[in-house]
Amino acid sequence: MGPPRSTFDKLISPIVHLSSNWVSRIGVILVTSAVVFWIFLFPTSVRGAGAHPYLGILEFLIVPSVFFAGLGVIPIGMWLRVRSEKKSGAAPSGKGRAELRHLLIFVGITTVVNLILGSLFTYQAVGYMDGVAFCGETCHKVMHPEFAAYQNSPHSRVECVACHIGPGASWFVKSKLSGVGQLFAVTFNTYPRPIPTPVRNLRPARETCEACHWPQKFGEDRLRVISNYGDDEKNPLTRTVLLMRVGGIHAAHLGPGVTIHYSPSDESRQTIPRVEYQNSVTGRQAVFVAADAKPDALNKLPTRQMDCMDCHNRPTHTLELPERAVNKALALGAISPSLPFVKKRSVELLKKSYASQEEAARKIPAALQQLYRDSPPADVARAAQALVAIYSRNVFPEMKVTWGTYPNNVGHTDFPGCFRCHDDNHVAADGKKIVQECNTCHQLLTMDDPAPKILTELGLQ
Ligand code: HEC
Ligand code: HEC
Ligand code: HEC
Ligand code: HEC
Ligand code: HEC
């Protein structure tokens, strides 16, 4: 008989003994790794809540999974050991303290290794996932259309998370939870193509957009010159000049005291049978209902408060239509207007269906060369390059995104836009309508004009 057995010998020693096997050790490695990585990740989520959603997935999903997997593996190893010892009839060895020492040394070494790996890893991961490249490219091949359009927008220097998450902890967590769902959708290839718009549960725009766009400054009138090249041989240029009443437009929907609620009858919010207007400053209230709407159907519709996104729904994922994109390329000189019928033919080539962007990048230049054998080869090559660029930032066959898939709500010529409500068909009880009068939103200074006098007067030509 040896010395009296201490608590250590009675309780801890058998556990230590049973867990000194390779399966349990792997569990120990997983548990210590998870703890160390979590310690490294923790400050990043405290510092920049909202800054990197996918680091959050690592922190809240992957690291805890590893931790609990490790916890699960340790008893499995112990159980296997019990079984094998029962079989072989081997008695517990009684080297309790030596085994504990081995275990502690083992944990110590794993921790040191983890500290080194962890510090290297988090340093790089933070920098990497912080970046727009991660959101738009790596994880989100799925978001290729959004990323491509984004790069070609006034917000190309604004991080994705500035609009999609914004500051503060609660939206950080909400977006992370939906991020987890999205991660699975991408992993198991179950995501919808195209990604549906609008984004449901997007944070209210006024909390995100107004972080940068000063809400009190609603903007001044702004001159818009829209160039259009015709379909004739000479690609004749005409211009439309609008004076946009930006300040008035903003004040009418979001000015002091104004709240507008509306009820869309379709997922993409393109049909709006009911609009409710309230102004707490003037006391005016009105409910405008589309003349053809059925009253009992109206009551079942969801209601949404109008904010920036209801007009600026594509502030950065501004996909173009082929005519407009070609007009822009012609105006910039990327396509030479001296090529006969180049406007018409370019649009036709862009609208054809191609199996992939790669196919378009082969077939469009080949077709142009065929059409313009007698034109300066440099012009043709440049036009080809411009068209391939237009195609590849707007059409994504693998995501089923093509011309016009995503409507843009600013305007009324390409999509319903402002005329979803301002269609002269939404009437209030007192007979008043939501106005459609042409000079309410802009002054139409000239339209499709080959030589706009107004531009000469302003010294713009
Ligand atoms: C200037 C603000 C802003 C920035 C920056 C931004 N987005 Fe968006 N994003 C939006 C808005 C607004 C919508 C449409 C919301 C709606 O209609 O409900 C949207 C929609 C989306 C959608 C849904 C599909 C669609 O096209 O409507 C995806 C996916 C998306 N964005 C990804 C990204 C990625 C990736 C980045 C960074 C490369 C990014 N966004 C940067 C504002 C932004
Ligand atoms: C992180 C800052 C930031 C956030 C957040 C942001 N923007 Fe912007 N926005 C900018 C910058 C910078 C410009 C470019 C100004 C320029 O080029 O003169 C811009 C330009 C714009 C323009 C003018 C584009 C044009 O054609 O001139 C619109 C419209 C706009 N933003 C709407 C929005 C909306 C809507 C949101 C919210 C979904 C938003 N912005 C969120 C920084 C931001
Ligand atoms: C009722 C629709 C509507 C709403 C709501 C709306 N805007 Fe606008 N906004 C417009 C229109 C139209 C223009 C002018 C576009 C143009 O000139 O082509 C514009 C222009 C702008 C510009 C460019 C201004 C300039 O002077 O160049 C910015 C920035 C902008 N809006 C930000 C916002 C922000 C931020 C919100 C939310 C607080 C918002 N808008 C809400 C319709 C709207
Ligand atoms: C969801 C419905 C809705 C949409 C979409 C909408 N508006 Fe409005 N708009 C209203 C309502 C409601 C009023 C207030 C009507 C009233 O007071 O009688 C209004 C008023 C206005 C006014 C002031 C009219 C006046 O009599 O002074 C302007 C300007 C305006 N809107 C411009 C726009 C522009 C530009 C767009 C598109 C970018 C747009 N609106 C999109 C609902 C909408
Ligand atoms: C509710 C506000 C509103 C009303 C009413 C309105 N427009 Fe517009 N219109 C806009 C906005 C916003 C744009 C887009 C400006 C831009 O491209 O940013 C636009 C653009 C245009 C354009 C330029 C189209 C192009 O090629 O880009 C023309 C032309 C035009 N409007 C004509 C009209 C005519 C004609 C009427 C009267 C039937 C009218 N608008 C009524 C808001 C309005």
Side-chain angles (χ1 to χ4, degrees):
M1 287 276 147
R5 283 161 69 86
S6 65
T7 340
F8 170 84
D9 288 331
K10 269 192 270 181
L11 285 174
I12 313 237
S13 177
I15 295 178
V16 170
H17 166 70
L18 288 175
S19 62
S20 54
N21 67 75
W22 277 107
V23 176
S24 299
R25 274 191 196 143
I26 288 170
V28 172
I29 294 179
L30 293 179
V31 170
T32 48
S33 307
V35 169
V36 170
F37 273 71
W38 194 81
I39 289 169
F40 272 103
L41 288 170
F42 187 66
T44 67
S45 72
V46 172
R47 174 168 56 80
H52 10 60
Y54 288 91
L55 207 57
I57 290 190
L58 196 67
E59 187 180 343
F60 291 116
L61 187 79
I62 297 176
V63 170
S65 314
V66 171
F67 180 82
F68 288 112
L71 280 189
V73 164
I74 296 175
I76 292 177
M78 293 163 80
W79 176 72
L80 288 175
R81 175 118 191 196
V82 170
R83 218 176 54 161
S84 80
E85 283 183 356
K86 269 200 187 137
K87 230 187 235 161
S88 65
S93 59
K95 328 177 262 190
R97 283 177 197 272
E99 279 179 337
L100 179 65
R101 208 176 325 114
H102 286 152
L103 185 69
L104 289 180
I105 291 172
F106 181 70
V107 170
I109 292 173
T110 349
T111 307
V112 170
V113 171
N114 274 325
L115 282 172
I116 296 167
L117 284 180
S119 59
L120 288 176
F121 167 82
T122 32
Y123 179 73
Q124 293 194 339
V126 170
Y128 173 62
M129 296 199 194
D130 241 354
V132 160
F134 177 75
C135 288
E137 285 169 343
T138 315
C139 176
H140 301 176
K141 188 160 192 278
V142 186
M143 297 188 189
H144 190 183
E146 284 73 23
F147 184 59
Y150 159 91
Q151 286 175 306
N152 184 36
S153 88
H155 292 107
S156 56
R157 297 288 180 276
V158 176
E159 304 229 323
C160 315
V161 290
C163 294
H164 282 279
I165 301 173
S170 78
W171 283 93
F172 177 56
V173 173
K174 271 186 218 174
S175 68
K176 200 156 359 243
L177 290 178
S178 84
V180 172
Q182 288 157 14
L183 196 69
F184 282 116
V186 172
T187 313
F188 299 112
N189 204 11
T190 57
Y191 54 85
R193 298 176 181 77
I195 300 183
T197 197
V199 181
R200 242 170 291 156
N201 307 323
L202 193 68
R203 184 171 190 169
R206 305 198 61 168
E207 294 173 23
T208 47
C209 312
E210 289 183 7
C212 297
H213 295 287
W214 186 34
Q216 277 76 33
K217 184 185 172 296
F218 276 112
E220 280 110 41
D221 288 1
R222 167 169 153 175
L223 200 67
R224 296 249 346 179
V225 183
I226 300 159
S227 303
N228 185 34
Y229 292 81
D231 282 349
D232 299 354
E233 179 173 0
K234 292 223 152 73
N235 314 299
L237 169 64
T238 58
R239 290 197 173 94
T240 297
V241 183
L242 300 167
L243 187 65
M244 296 299 306
R245 304 193 184 285
V246 178
I249 294 169
H250 285 153
H253 308 86
L254 301 171
V258 180
T259 0
I260 296 179
H261 285 89
Y262 70 89
S263 307
S265 64
D266 62 335
E267 287 281 312
S268 56
R269 302 179 188 148
Q270 292 299 297
T271 314
I272 300 178
R274 183 174 60 196
V275 182
E276 248 180 273
Y277 177 91
Q278 263 182 359
N279 188 329
S280 63
V281 175
T282 63
R284 182 172 141 75
Q285 277 200 350
V287 179
F288 300 91
V289 178
D292 49 1
K294 297 189 185 61
D296 42 326
L298 282 181
N299 296 329
K300 297 198 193 89
L301 298 179
T303 299
R304 177 182 154 80
Q305 182 171 350
M306 191 168 185
D307 67 25
C308 318
M309 244 81 108
D310 292 294
C311 298
H312 299 287
N313 66 330
R314 316 299 303 167
T316 193
H317 313 299
T318 340
L319 298 166
E320 305 158 285
L321 290 177
E323 291 82 3
R324 288 192 189 272
V326 173
N327 280 334
K328 203 161 88 188
L330 279 159
L332 290 171
I335 298 176
S336 165
S338 65
L339 296 169
F341 291 112
V342 73
K343 165 73 191 291
K344 184 164 178 282
R345 288 170 175 171
S346 296
V347 171
E348 282 166 7
L349 281 176
L350 287 171
K351 280 187 172 168
K352 277 202 176 144
S353 112
Y354 305 95
S356 65
Q357 293 198 340
E358 291 71 31
E359 186 181 304
R362 262 184 289 115
K363 290 197 169 165
I364 293 175
L368 273 186
Q369 265 160 18
Q370 194 71 22
L371 287 166
Y372 293 103
R373 264 170 295 191
D374 306 329
S375 303
D379 281 359
V380 180
R382 236 154 30 98
Q385 203 183 5
L387 290 187
V388 170
I390 291 173
Y391 188 90
S392 51
R393 66 171 184 255
N394 288 294
V395 183
F396 305 85
E398 81 281 11
M399 284 303 297
K400 299 206 168 81
V401 171
T402 181
W403 306 109
T405 299
Y406 291 111
N408 186 335
N409 292 337
V410 174
H412 52 80
T413 41
D414 300 333
F415 301 100
C418 311
F419 286 10
R420 290 174 299 162
C421 300
H422 292 265
D423 61 352
D424 210 24
N425 188 38
H426 283 70
V427 196
D430 63 1
K432 273 202 75 177
K433 291 176 175 176
I434 305 181
V435 285
Q436 198 183 27
E437 204 273 310
C438 299
N439 283 340
T440 320
C441 308
H442 46 61
Q443 188 121 17
L444 200 48
L445 297 174
T446 184
M447 206 167 144
D448 295 329
D449 190 341
K453 222 168 81 218
I454 177 81
L455 293 184
T456 327
E457 279 165 9
L458 290 169
L460 292 176
Q461 242 176 359

